[in-house]
Amino acid sequence: MKTAFLGLGSNLADRPGILRAAVERLRLDPRVRVERISSVYETKPVGGVAQADFLNLVVEIATTCSPEELLATTRQIENALGRERRERWGPRTLDIDVLWFDGVRSDDATLTLPHPRMKERSFVLTPLAEIAPTLELDGERVDVLAARLDRSGLRCVGNLGQSDVGAALRRDERCGPLEISDGESRRKAAPTVSSDASTGVVVRELAGVLPPEKFFESLAERSGSFFLDSGLEGGGLGRFSFIGFDPFLIFHAKGGTITLTTVTGREAFQGDALAELKKLCEKFRRPPSVADEDAAEIPFCGGAVGGFSYEFGARLEGVQSRSPDDLEMPDAQFGFYDGVLAFERESGRAFAVANPVEAASADEILARLERAVSESGVGRVILNAPVAFSGPGGSESQRRVRDNPPYLEPQANFSKEEYLRAVERIKDYIAAGDVYQVNLAQRFEA
């Protein structure tokens, strides 16, 4: 996939809503993956035409489109959201410019790349420098070019993910200014997450809750949902299963780039994945503070849930991977959760657990968890109902899934014959003394 940067602007109708709708349409295009979104900047119009101020932002995407196909896609989005081309420099519902496309240079009359006027515009370079400070234009870094421009008519009004950018506009909130130091561009402002340790962990028992595996079916599509299911019988470590969803922070690491995503937006920077993850864990770590005897025994009350890729371990050891990264899996990804549902297997009891380490209060977290339970829509079932397994054919529920649509047959990434040939090659390598062990991986998809 190719990297491209798009500049979005609007100064008519619901400006924040138009920008959100445009980004969402980009996300819905199967040929486009939205990687990063800058803060939103309010700017004075250029060109001398009397009109309202613009809201501008820059989006980084990865795409399989050609430059011409991407231009056509942006025009379709503009038209769908009511763009009318009446006068140059005039007001517009939505304007999307292709700023830069994977180093392509073009003087075509329809599409000039890089954008011919972007180096003169602070409302383009400032948000671009926020998400891609080291990108070079004509041999100079974007953050250096942005620092030279007059930004007096430019103010940051928040992130597109805010529930009401308009409220931020009325409050005159500003983003942290860009600071150039030792050739690096960074935000003075800290990530938009906060910790409040004034309230301890709060636990509330729930009545008549579904079995965890049934309940999870109702919210498996929720953002960042997870099911840590106990596979052990009896007490001890197998006593509880846990379900969580809607993390307040998502940590994503890939090739040295750290991305933090919250409800208010996204921040990307270069860093060491393990060191940055450790900082976040320390920031939100707090021992439980509960008086209830049962609640004190719950071993997990919220925190970080995620994982590391196999390749990340090899990279830490300095081993170069020869496998293609066709899935573009992250090196590490963790969600941070301020509330979970805990299910005690033997007793059939269920608990909503609030751990208010971020902005939400314990009461707000508990209300969100209880609302998810009440809206599950699967009915009220005894938690410790037995699960019947019927021999080698699997459980009754497994057979229902297999025998009735929508069941998808798993597809392997190579055939049985190819797999066996690979085994023979491995034996030859071992016999020759070149290697002593090989992990042969086969991937199944459906």
Side-chain angles (χ1 to χ4, degrees):
M1 300 182 83
K2 303 293 187 181
T3 299
F5 293 92
L6 306 177
L8 281 66
S10 173
N11 76 333
L12 291 176
D14 175 13
R15 299 177 297 168
I18 292 292
L19 294 178
R20 289 193 191 100
V23 172
E24 186 59 28
R25 285 177 180 266
L26 286 169
R27 283 197 173 109
L28 291 174
D29 192 315
R31 303 166 301 168
V32 174
R33 185 176 69 237
V34 175
E35 300 282 18
R36 303 181 211 177
I37 305 172
S38 76
S39 300
V40 181
Y41 290 81
E42 188 175 48
T43 62
K44 299 297 180 184
V46 297
V49 178
Q51 56 187 300
D53 291 349
F54 276 83
L55 290 186
N56 293 95
L57 58 83
V58 170
V59 177
E60 178 186 348
I61 65 170
T63 181
T64 58
C65 294
S66 67
E68 294 74 22
E69 290 171 335
L70 182 59
L71 178 64
T73 298
T74 62
R75 293 293 181 261
Q76 291 171 359
I77 294 175
E78 289 177 343
N79 295 335
L81 295 177
R83 167 73 185 265
E84 295 183 6
R85 302 178 184 277
R86 294 180 177 175
E87 60 179 320
R88 190 179 187 188
W89 313 115
R92 61 209 69 180
T93 306
L94 176 65
D95 187 26
I96 306 179
D97 289 327
V98 181
L99 303 174
W100 187 91
F101 191 98
D102 205 45
V104 172
R105 303 191 72 89
S106 169
D107 293 325
D108 186 82
T110 305
L111 179 61
T112 304
L113 290 170
H115 193 284
R117 291 177 295 277
M118 62 186 294
K119 292 171 64 175
E120 307 164 7
R121 296 175 170 177
S122 60
F123 63 83
V124 172
L125 287 191
T126 300
L128 180 59
E130 180 183 317
I131 62 174
T134 61
L135 181 70
E136 291 194 355
L137 299 175
D138 297 328
E140 290 192 274
R141 285 171 43 133
V142 165
D143 55 358
V144 175
L145 292 169
R148 293 176 187 160
L149 297 178
D150 179 12
R151 296 201 294 267
S152 58
L154 183 74
R155 69 186 184 102
C156 182
V157 293
N159 296 287
L160 198 60
Q162 285 182 295
S163 59
D164 188 1
V165 174
L169 287 165
R170 293 190 292 274
R171 291 193 300 269
D172 194 28
E173 292 183 347
R174 298 171 182 269
C175 299
L178 289 172
E179 179 184 70
I180 308 300
S181 174
D182 298 326
E184 293 295 329
S185 172
R186 60 179 67 95
R187 301 298 302 276
K188 288 182 179 177
T192 54
V193 290
S194 60
S195 177
D196 179 7
S198 60
T199 305
V201 172
V202 179
V203 178
R204 185 177 297 165
E205 185 166 359
L206 304 171
V209 181
L210 296 166
E213 60 273 11
K214 284 289 185 183
F215 176 68
F216 186 67
E217 291 177 7
S218 67
L219 41 87
E221 300 301 319
R222 295 280 284 266
S223 171
S225 60
F226 70 83
F227 181 16
L228 301 179
D229 187 23
S230 172
L232 299 177
E233 297 292 337
L237 294 176
R239 179 177 170 186
F240 289 93
S241 294
F242 299 93
I243 287 176
F245 51 91
D246 296 343
F248 65 83
L249 170 69
I250 297 176
F251 170 93
H252 179 282
K254 178 72 171 177
T257 298
I258 312 297
T259 305
L260 304 180
T261 304
T262 69
V263 294
T264 60
R266 182 179 296 179
E267 178 189 7
F269 55 92
Q270 297 295 307
D272 178 85
L274 292 180
E276 296 298 331
L277 186 59
K278 182 179 180 181
K279 290 178 186 176
L280 291 172
C281 288
E282 290 174 348
K283 179 173 185 177
F284 297 116
R285 179 184 291 118
R286 184 183 56 207
S289 175
V290 291
D292 188 276
E293 188 173 296
D294 293 320
E297 297 181 11
I298 297 177
F300 179 65
C301 298
V305 177
F308 299 95
S309 72
Y310 185 86
E311 289 75 16
F312 182 55
R315 190 150 42 248
L316 290 176
E317 297 295 329
V319 178
Q320 183 177 1
S321 174
R322 298 181 181 275
S323 301
D325 187 17
D326 56 332
L327 293 180
E328 298 187 348
M329 296 288 288
D331 293 337
Q333 181 155 316
F334 285 81
F336 283 76
Y337 301 82
D338 56 9
V340 296
L341 296 168
F343 298 82
E344 189 178 34
R345 283 290 187 176
E346 281 198 337
S347 69
R349 302 170 72 188
F351 304 89
V353 185
N355 187 12
V357 294
E358 209 257 336
S361 67
D363 287 340
E364 290 171 332
I365 297 168
L366 291 174
R368 171 168 53 85
L369 295 171
E370 291 173 342
R371 187 164 56 250
V373 171
S374 66
E375 294 174 353
S376 60
V378 192
R380 297 162 69 84
V381 183
I382 298 174
L383 178 63
N384 57 355
V387 178
F389 288 88
S390 307
S395 70
E396 199 64 40
S397 62
Q398 288 170 329
R399 284 201 296 273
R400 283 198 303 270
V401 170
R402 184 173 62 244
D403 298 338
N404 297 279
Y407 173 74
L408 300 176
E409 189 70 32
Q411 301 295 322
N413 62 329
F414 50 87
S415 67
K416 178 180 178 179
E417 292 73 21
E418 291 170 327
Y419 187 91
L420 293 176
R421 284 199 297 271
V423 171
E424 292 304 317
R425 288 182 60 201
I426 291 170
K427 290 180 178 179
D428 291 340
Y429 280 122
I430 294 175
D434 295 330
V435 298
Y436 64 89
Q437 179 180 342
V438 174
N439 294 320
L440 179 58
Q442 185 172 11
R443 188 169 78 212
F444 293 87
E445 298 178 272

